[in-house]
């Protein structure tokens, strides 16, 4: 009789969605590639929950039944059913949670308890779109899996290696002592991309730019495998233009709006939910929809997105003193060949040359180099797997608990 497969579930809980993946826990204490992954959307009030599931042999999309009560709790019930049906006889050892903000204290993944959750709740104003929902997810999983280790894995942790010149704003020191500084985000994604690059390129330890481009977007400068600078700062609003977020903005604009009578809630909604690709185009926050649109505003939104990316890459290249490798990841970075081509052409003064055929071939299913032989900078497309990093951290913590 074969032993039960042990595994770790990595989850990312949002305001209206739950993303999940199941990673086998291996005999050496590491984790293997996900055996199933997916998400449940439509968990907002009056929403219609829908499941998207991928396994080694199938891709499933279906609506889920709705009943009165907490929709997130219903999603967890659905998840347990999914595991029974599609994962076989699996023993879940831990839940690894992606949490956007670890503040100044949490530079490593940790086991979550009541005291830790209370500290992390205090950071919610720094990431209001993500942090509260991440932590609500933790508490829901604690109820669903009582006694099972819950592990917090922080997007800010990767950037703890940034020096004081990158961490500090030109603000009074009293505010710095209150924790107002640059933190950086998308750290789990950058950790995964950095590890994959190290496996495939001899330049991975040199001057590297990684561009995580999706509904949230940022660029990270890395040297010797560690973050040295990044476009996001105190909050997940800074830096690049995003799906619905503005990116970097003159603070004078906010002062002007306040004088015009805007309150904090209205400004926050505008910056987080009504700006970016959606706000500029007036069409959609989805790059695929904009590509298919004939509206000139959609084309301009794409052009502005590329411009902001190129501008930020140029600034971060200056902090590195040059660039040896550029990697694209995230939903847009992995799948939009036209955007990669446009960005690299505008960065051609740095020596970037794309191989058009290889760029078109790169579809986000596997890591792939897309630079031409004449390029002095390597260019890679690296499908990210934030859940694999979170599951690996949970596995490492499990190892310390059993020694």
């Amino acid at each position: 009789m074969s032993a039960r497969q042990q595994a770790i579930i990595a989850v990312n809980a949002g305001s209206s969605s739950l993303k999940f993946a199941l990673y086998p826990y291996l005999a050496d204490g590491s984790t293997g590639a996900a055996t199933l992954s997916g998400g449940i959307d439509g968990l907002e009030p009056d929403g219609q929950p829908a499941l998207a599931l991928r396994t080694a042999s199938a891709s499933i999309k279906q609506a889920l039944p709705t009943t009165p009560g907490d929709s997130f709790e219903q999603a967890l019930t659905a998840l347990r059913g999914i595991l029974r049906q599609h994962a076989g006889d699996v023993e879940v050892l831990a839940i690894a949670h992606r949490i956007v903000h670890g503040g100044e204290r949490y530079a490593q993944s940790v086991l979550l308890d009541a005291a830790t959750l209370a500290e992390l709740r205090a950071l919610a104003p720094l990431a209001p779109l993500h942090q509260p929902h991440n932590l609500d997810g933790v508490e829901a999983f604690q109820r669903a899996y009582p006694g099972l280790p819950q592990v917090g894995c922080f997007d800010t942790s990767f950037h703890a290696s940034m020096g004081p010149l990158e961490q500090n704003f030109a603000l009074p020191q009293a505010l710095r002592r209150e924790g107002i500084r640059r933190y950086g985000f998308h750290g789990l994604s950058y950790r995964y991309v950095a590890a994959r690059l190290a496996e495939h390129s001899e330049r991975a330890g040199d001057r590297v730019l990684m561009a995580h481009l999706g509904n949230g977007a940022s660029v990270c400068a890395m040297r010797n495998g560690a973050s040295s600078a990044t476009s996001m700062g105190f909050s997940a609003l800074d830096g690049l233009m995003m799906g619905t977020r503005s990116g970097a903005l003159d603070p004078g604009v906010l002062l002007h709006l306040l004088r015009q009578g805007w309150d904090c809630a209205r400004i926050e909604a505008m910056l987080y939910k009504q700006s970016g690709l959606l706000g500029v185009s007036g069409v959609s926050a989805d790059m695929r929809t904009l590509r298919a649109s004939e509206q000139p505003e959609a084309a301009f939104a794409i052009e502005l997105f590329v411009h902001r990316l190129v501008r930020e890459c140029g600034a971060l290249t200056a902090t590195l003193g040059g660039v040896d490798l550029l990697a694209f990841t995230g939903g847009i970075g992995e799948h939009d060949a036209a955007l990669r081509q446009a960005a690299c052409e505008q960065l051609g003064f740095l020596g970037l040359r794309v191989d058009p055929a290889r760029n078109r071939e790169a579809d986000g299913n596997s890591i792939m180099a897309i630079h031409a032989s004449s390029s002095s900078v390597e260019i890679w497309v690296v499908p990210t797997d934030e859940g694999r990093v979170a599951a690996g951290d949970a596995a490492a913590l499990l190892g310390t608990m059993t020694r």
Side-chain angles (χ1 to χ4, degrees):
M1 181 176 179
S2 60
R4 295 180 71 191
Q5 172 66 62
Q6 296 180 317
I8 294 171
I9 302 175
V11 299
N12 182 5
S15 60
S16 60
S17 66
L18 173 65
K19 297 179 182 178
F20 58 85
L22 186 72
Y23 297 88
Y25 182 73
L26 306 179
D28 63 359
S30 65
T31 53
T35 55
L36 65 81
S37 62
I40 301 174
D41 295 314
L43 300 180
E44 67 274 12
D46 301 321
Q48 173 56 62
L51 166 70
L53 179 68
R54 295 175 298 279
T55 69
S57 58
S59 180
I60 301 166
K61 291 186 177 182
Q62 65 184 53
L64 296 176
T66 57
T67 56
D70 187 297
S71 58
F72 200 89
E73 300 290 348
Q74 294 173 37
L76 289 183
T77 299
L79 176 57
R80 288 195 292 268
I82 290 165
L83 295 178
R84 286 193 298 270
Q85 181 178 357
H86 296 281
D89 189 20
V90 170
E91 177 188 4
V92 178
L93 299 181
I95 311 293
H97 298 265
R98 180 191 177 192
I99 299 177
V100 67
H101 216 304
E104 297 201 79
R105 177 171 181 179
Y106 296 105
Q108 303 291 335
S109 298
V110 296
L111 288 169
L112 298 170
D113 57 22
T116 304
L117 288 174
E119 290 185 32
L120 295 173
R121 286 276 181 197
L123 300 174
L126 308 188
L129 278 191
H130 303 89
Q131 192 85 349
H133 307 300
N134 295 160
L135 301 179
D136 288 346
V138 174
E139 293 175 352
F141 272 92
Q142 286 177 327
R143 293 189 294 270
Y145 293 88
L148 206 63
Q150 310 282 331
V151 177
C153 308
F154 306 103
D155 260 335
T156 50
S157 297
F158 183 72
H159 304 292
S161 55
M162 293 193 308
L165 292 178
E166 287 295 336
Q167 289 184 1
N168 279 268
F169 294 114
L171 292 172
Q173 282 298 310
L175 294 177
R176 174 62 180 83
R177 289 190 289 270
E178 293 177 13
I180 297 179
R181 45 154 281 200
R182 298 180 63 84
Y183 291 95
F185 299 91
H186 290 136
L188 298 180
S189 176
Y190 288 136
R191 277 181 59 192
Y192 182 83
V193 171
R196 294 305 309 279
L197 289 173
E199 295 170 354
H200 289 82
S201 173
E202 294 181 355
R203 295 190 183 181
D206 296 334
R207 301 167 299 181
V208 174
L209 292 181
M210 299 179 289
H212 179 108
L213 308 177
N215 191 49
S218 68
V219 184
C220 175
M222 182 174 69
R223 190 191 294 272
N224 298 322
S227 173
S228 62
T230 189
S231 59
M232 280 185 172
F234 174 71
S235 73
L237 276 173
D238 200 7
L240 300 180
M241 176 180 173
M242 304 177 219
T244 62
R245 283 172 264 174
S246 64
L249 186 68
D250 180 347
V253 173
L254 306 184
L255 295 175
H256 171 76
L257 294 177
L258 287 168
R259 293 190 189 100
Q260 296 300 311
W262 288 46
D263 61 15
C264 182
R266 186 180 178 189
I267 290 175
E268 183 174 88
M270 184 269 291
L271 294 176
Y272 276 101
K273 299 180 180 180
Q274 300 162 7
S275 299
L277 290 171
L278 175 63
V280 174
S281 71
V283 175
S284 176
D286 192 314
M287 185 66 78
R288 294 165 295 186
T289 302
L290 298 181
R291 289 285 185 198
S293 175
E294 296 181 356
Q295 296 295 321
E297 294 85 357
F300 179 74
I302 296 172
E303 187 177 358
L304 183 58
F305 187 96
V306 174
H307 173 75
R308 293 286 291 271
L309 171 62
V310 169
R311 179 172 174 164
E312 197 66 43
C313 285
L316 290 176
T317 297
T319 70
L320 291 171
V323 61
D324 301 299
L325 187 154
L326 170 63
F328 291 94
T329 193
I332 297 173
E334 295 169 24
H335 298 288
D336 195 321
L339 183 139
R340 295 192 300 259
Q341 183 80 40
C344 290
E345 286 178 356
Q346 293 184 39
L347 291 167
F349 69 97
L350 294 173
L352 282 80
R353 301 289 185 272
V354 171
D355 181 318
R358 292 185 64 81
N359 184 40
R360 289 191 298 269
E361 186 181 346
D363 56 7
N365 289 322
S366 60
I367 183 171
M368 186 170 178
I370 62 170
H371 48 274
S373 59
S374 59
S375 183
S376 61
V377 178
E378 291 189 1
I379 310 169
W380 292 80
V381 178
V382 186
T384 194
D385 191 344
E386 295 156 316
R388 181 83 178 261
V389 174
D393 282 3
L397 285 171
L398 287 176
T400 65
M401 294 168 62
T402 57
R403 287 172 190 162

